Structure formats: structure tokens, C-alpha cells
Amino acid sequence: MSKPKSTDLSIASATRELDGVRRAASMAGRAMQRLEADAERIAGEVGTSGRSLRLVSASEQFSALIKHGKTVIQIEGDAFAITSGD
């Protein structure tokens, strides 16, 4: 027994949409990497004396890195971490 054509078309359409979403996510990931690399380069050029702030936002992704002395706050999307050295 063969599947109805409407189901086949729906699956094909969903597959194309999923491929588009994957390509968009991949492009956004590469854009985030480029932005983060630029931020690191700029921070290195400026010389921060133990303090720095880096914020990157692209589409629905957000990244932040805050350093002050030995305290580091890192945010990636909805997750975050705070560390402090002795």
C-alpha cells in the first residue's frame, strides 16, 4: 500500500525546511565565531589591565564574557558561569 501524495509532499516540504534551518544555524554559528575572534583581537590590541567586557549578539544567540581581576563571568545563551581565582 502506498502513502497518500499529501503525506509525501508534507515530508518533502518539512525536509527542505529543516535543511534550511540547519544551514541558517551553521551560518549563524560561523558568524558568532568570527565576531568572537574579532572581539578577542580587539581586546588584545587595547590592553585591558585585568578588566574586559565582550558581548556578542547574532540572531537569537548571545555570548558575554566579563573579566575583572580574577573574577570571570561567562554567559552563553541561557547558561552562565561565574569563577573567581584565589
Side-chain angles (χ1 to χ4, degrees), residues 40-54:
E40 289 291 329
R41 179 186 52 78
I42 292 167
E45 290 173 1
V46 171
T48 58
S49 302
R51 293 178 291 185
S52 66
L53 170 65
R54 181 185 74 196

Side-chain angles (χ1 to χ4, degrees), residues 21-36 56 58-59 61:
V21 169
R22 286 182 181 147
R23 278 192 296 274
S26 177
M27 289 172 51
R30 287 191 301 271
M32 287 289 290
Q33 288 175 341
R34 284 191 304 272
L35 289 170
E36 289 176 348
V56 179
S59 295
Q61 295 185 355

